[in-house]
């Protein structure tokens, strides 16, 4: 799984770092970009919600992942060649249907392969981080935005997806046999999709709320940092900044299994949520590249340790293979919902209150999530 994960995150790198800049290059304002990203993330919630019941029943996740890769390779062609806000929003929504499904399906394959050794997820996922770093540096070297043509934008988004599809092909053969230790769970995992969703319990959804607030707090860094570096700091170092960001996560991603075994997934998840408030404060109160780099270094906690902790928590909450796919998808949809609301709010805040105002507003959200978690957790115990 290391090679597909590596190439999947080369796709993620292009979308994360350069999609907002590509949209700006073809003439959209910051507010419009915010709403376009919101459309992108709405589709990332709604469409997986309908297809997850089907995906959770299949044992051929490799075939599903191949279809997703093909979609990510094809959709950028009409996305950049047909103009107009409505058409762009439509094609972004279709692209998001594939893009937002890729990571939970890939994560499900990894966890299914690891079986009873799921704490080693970070060992595989670290190759995704390396792929993100490599692609960010390639983008930084080759892309010159004022000279970037529509055909080049299309190629940068499509070609990594084609390579990803090639590496997925070996996983599309016979259905993989599950680990013996999981066979009993698989036999009992016969409930409906609705019953599976209900089975996770109130505590699980309370933690998803904390994850949602963490993702809300991360919106400025995840959605608008490239624009901030370009427009506010007047720098073309977006690719390098994002490469450093991913580089910082690698050691914590690799060592996450040890941290999780020692401290548990939930405590680490809560600590890393609080770290987002610190990260946004660095961007807000050190308004230069040094502040950006300090904030990016915090990615070691706010993603490098946070994400494997979330994956482990969601895997532990799932009883059976079908529940695992559902749990991973709910986790991804939580992030997508935060991106929908945060992208719309963030674009408006930038135009209304500036980048500092945006960073300050979003810094409060993870702290609020932790406070509410502490209050509600006592009541449901």
């Amino acid at each position: 799984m290391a090679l597909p994960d590596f190439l999947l995150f080369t796709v993620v790198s292009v979308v994360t770092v350069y999609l907002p800049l590509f949209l700006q290059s073809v003439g959209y304002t910051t507010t419009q970009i915010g709403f376009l990203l919101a459309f992108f993330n709405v589709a990332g919630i709604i469409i997986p919600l309908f297809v997850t019941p089907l995906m959770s029943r299949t044992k051929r996740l490799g075939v599903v992942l191949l279809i997703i890769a093909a979609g990510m390779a094809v959709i950028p062609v009409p996305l950049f060649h047909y103009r107009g806000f409505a058409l762009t929003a439509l094609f972004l929504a279709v692209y998001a249907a594939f893009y937002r499904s890729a990571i939970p399906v890939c994560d499900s394959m990894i966890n299914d392969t690891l079986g009873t050794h799921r704490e080693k997820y970070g060992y595989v996922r670290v190759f995704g981080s390396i792929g993100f770093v490599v692609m960010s540096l390639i983008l930084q070297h080759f892309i010159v935005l004022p000279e970037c043509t529509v055909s080049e934008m299309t190629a940068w988004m499509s070609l990594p997806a084609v390579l990803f599809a090639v590496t997925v092909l070996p996983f599309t053969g016979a259905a993989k046999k599950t680990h013996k230790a999981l066979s009993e769970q698989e036999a009992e995992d016969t409930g409906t999709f609705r019953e599976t969703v209900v089975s996770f319990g109130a505590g699980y959804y309370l933690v998803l709320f904390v994850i949602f607030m963490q993702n809300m707090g991360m919106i400025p860094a995840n959605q608008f940092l490239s624009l901030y570096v370009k427009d506010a700091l007047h720098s073309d170092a977006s690719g390098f900044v994002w490469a450093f960001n991913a580089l910082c996560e690698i050691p914590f991603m690799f060592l996450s299994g040890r941290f999780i075994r020692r401290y548990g997934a939930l405590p680490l998840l809560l600590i890393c949520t609080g770290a987002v408030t610190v990260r946004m404060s660095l961007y807000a109160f050190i308004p230069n590249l040094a502040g950006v780099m300090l904030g990016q270094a915090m990615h070691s906690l706010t993603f490098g340790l946070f994400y494997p902790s979330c994956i482990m928590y969601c895997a532990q909450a799932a009883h059976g293979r079908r529940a695992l796919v559902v749990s991973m998808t709910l986790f991804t949809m939580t992030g997508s919902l935060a991106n929908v609301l945060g992208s719309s709010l963030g674009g408006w805040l930038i135009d209304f209150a500036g980048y500092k105002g945006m960073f300050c507003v979003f810094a409060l959200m993870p702290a609020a999530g932790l406070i509410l978690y502490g209050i509600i957790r006592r009541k449901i115990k």
Side-chain angles (χ1 to χ4, degrees), residues 11 66-82 91 94-95 98 154-155 157-162 165:
V11 178
L66 182 63
I67 295 170
I68 289 170
M72 292 192 296
V74 171
I75 298 302
V77 177
L79 173 63
F80 291 113
H81 284 80
Y82 294 96
F91 289 125
V94 176
Y95 183 83
F98 296 102
T154 303
M157 289 191 66
S158 293
L159 290 178
V162 172

Side-chain angles (χ1 to χ4, degrees), residues 1-79:
M1 289 301 300
L3 186 57
D5 212 48
F6 175 94
L7 287 165
L8 171 58
F9 279 87
T10 63
V11 178
V12 173
S13 175
V14 180
V15 174
T16 302
V17 182
Y18 277 94
L19 180 58
L21 297 175
F22 287 163
L23 293 173
Q24 188 182 58
S25 295
V26 297
Y28 292 109
T29 66
T30 304
T31 300
Q32 288 175 321
I33 292 170
F35 283 115
L36 285 171
L37 293 176
F39 280 112
F40 178 78
N41 290 295
V42 163
I45 298 171
I46 295 175
I47 298 176
L49 184 63
F50 287 103
V51 300
T52 295
L54 298 175
M55 289 194 303
S56 66
R57 290 187 177 92
T58 182
K59 293 184 179 181
R60 296 181 181 273
L61 290 176
V63 175
V64 176
L65 205 55
L66 182 63
I67 295 170
I68 289 170
M72 292 192 296
V74 171
I75 298 302
V77 177
L79 173 63

